[in-house]
Amino acid sequence: MKKLLWIVNPHAGRGAMSGKVIGCVNAFQQAGFEVTIYITQGAQDATRVVQERAADFDRIVCAGGDGTLSEVVTGMMESGVRTPLGYIPAGTTNDFALSLGIPKVPVEAAAVAAGNDLQALDIGRFNDRYFNYIAAFGVFTEVSYATPQQSKNIFGRAAYIFEGVKALTNIKQHHIRLESEEMSLEDNFIYGMVSNTVSVGGFKALTPGGVELDDGLYEVLLVYPIENPMELQWLVNDLLTHNTDSTRYVYFRTSRISFDAEDEVQWTLDGEFGGAIKHAEITNVSRAITFATGNRKPVPTEPEKQKTENE
């Protein structure tokens, strides 16, 4: 039988996997896999397990939030192992699962994770680290990793909202110079995001219909400072109506971008703390990891890849 390593974060999403293990294992076995279960013991444990054991399996599946998935992806990128990866979303927001068309019901997600619909997707490099779908700084970015896990478990998404309200009372500006092939710019910003997802924080991205997860490009959004509540309302309206021509922010796409700040800027990577730094170099590693997806967009064959490259 084919071998599957299932990495489970037992604390994600109010213990979302409790009572779901038997159904998921049954889905894996029906797909022809012999299952080994590993329960994570703490932060970065998923990365270590993937580095040490992933090469011995035909499929890796992780159950947890976006942070757990990011740890698994980091382990694969650092080890060079390219075993197909499945994802059972069990966190609070699970942005990337929405992008992949993965069901919210764990047993249904397990069937997708063990399925044959595979897609090679882009992964981000952030200086010497990796991220799965978003690197961001500024207002609200601290909310995801500053919110206590106990609050997430009790209040769900409302816990993020509570922390977000606090962030509004202390909006800090960052003077940043950015460089990419498409744009060179220096100005003050209160928020910046480099992403590859149709959903951020459970809300639709600026151009969700135009986001391709395997095109080698990131969506960059940089928000200018706001002076009063009225400007904040205008900003929100522009974002909600997907106004890419707004003068309240900068939006473009790129495969590589650098940020240089006068002072240290705190970044978040896939909802986890990414460090306080002055320089960030972000690169899109095109089609680096193969995911099991519910979007039914298969991985191109070698002749198809060659044809695309020639075109």
Side-chain angles (χ1 to χ4, degrees):
M1 297 180 68
K2 297 176 293 182
K3 295 192 297 182
L4 182 150
L5 175 61
W6 187 21
I7 300 171
V8 181
N9 178 352
H11 303 296
R14 306 181 226 186
M17 292 309 300
S18 178
K20 310 295 194 306
V21 172
I22 292 178
C24 291
V25 170
N26 185 53
F28 296 149
Q29 291 183 173
Q30 288 182 344
F33 287 100
E34 177 183 347
V35 183
T36 298
I37 301 176
Y38 182 84
I39 307 298
T40 59
Q41 303 299 302
Q44 308 307 318
D45 194 32
T47 296
R48 179 191 62 79
V49 170
V50 169
Q51 291 173 329
E52 295 177 357
R53 304 187 62 184
D56 299 327
F57 292 86
D58 303 292
R59 182 72 54 93
I60 307 297
V61 177
C62 74
D66 292 328
T68 305
L69 178 61
S70 182
E71 287 190 22
V72 171
V73 166
T74 295
M76 298 183 76
M77 293 297 292
E78 292 181 349
S79 66
V81 174
R82 294 296 181 264
T83 304
L85 175 60
Y87 180 37
I88 300 177
T92 307
T93 54
N94 304 308
D95 286 315
F96 200 61
L98 178 61
S99 297
L100 295 185
I102 296 175
K104 295 181 180 180
V105 178
V107 174
E108 296 177 5
V112 171
N116 295 319
D117 292 321
L118 305 177
Q119 184 180 359
L121 303 182
D122 303 338
I123 297 297
R125 181 184 292 118
F126 180 90
N127 290 344
D128 59 349
R129 299 178 59 179
Y130 294 94
F131 65 96
N132 199 33
Y133 72 97
I134 184 171
F137 69 85
V139 64
F140 293 126
T141 57
E142 295 180 20
V143 170
S144 56
Y145 59 80
T147 305
Q149 184 64 50
Q150 185 177 7
S151 296
K152 296 178 186 178
N153 292 342
I154 296 174
F155 299 109
R157 188 173 295 177
Y160 290 102
I161 296 176
F162 296 152
E163 291 292 331
V165 170
K166 296 179 186 178
L168 276 177
T169 64
N170 185 29
I171 298 178
K172 182 179 180 180
Q173 299 183 25
H174 301 280
H175 189 80
I176 292 179
R177 183 177 70 255
L178 66 94
E179 296 284 345
S180 74
E181 183 177 344
E182 296 77 9
M183 183 174 296
S184 177
L185 180 64
E186 183 172 355
D187 214 322
N188 293 326
F189 303 100
I190 61 171
Y191 177 78
M193 175 177 78
V194 180
S195 67
N196 191 38
T197 176
V198 301
S199 173
V200 180
F203 300 95
K204 293 291 186 181
L206 194 58
T207 56
V211 174
E212 294 289 342
L213 307 183
D214 60 354
D215 61 359
L217 295 174
Y218 278 129
E219 283 66 47
V220 180
L221 175 68
L222 297 157
V223 179
Y224 291 114
I226 53 177
E227 302 297 334
N228 53 61
M230 183 61 73
E231 288 190 4
L232 175 61
Q233 184 61 55
W234 290 337
L235 169 64
V236 171
N237 288 341
D238 282 350
L239 290 170
L240 291 178
T241 58
H242 303 159
N243 180 14
T244 56
D245 295 322
S246 173
T247 59
R248 297 176 179 87
Y249 50 77
V250 178
Y251 174 81
F252 65 100
R253 291 176 175 172
T254 188
S255 60
R256 186 185 184 95
I257 187 170
S258 65
F259 296 85
D260 287 283
E262 291 183 346
D263 301 311
E264 288 188 341
V265 176
Q266 293 189 357
W267 286 80
T268 177
L269 305 178
D270 294 338
E272 303 296 327
F273 183 57
I277 56 178
K278 291 185 177 181
H279 175 77
E281 189 84 24
I282 299 176
T283 305
N284 185 301
V285 186
S286 182
R287 299 186 177 184
I289 300 292
T290 298
F291 287 83
T293 172
N295 290 335
R296 299 188 178 280
K297 183 179 180 181
V299 177
T301 62
E302 289 303 322
E304 289 173 338
K305 287 183 181 179
Q306 189 63 47
K307 180 181 178 180
T308 301
E309 291 172 359
N310 292 339
E311 292 175 345

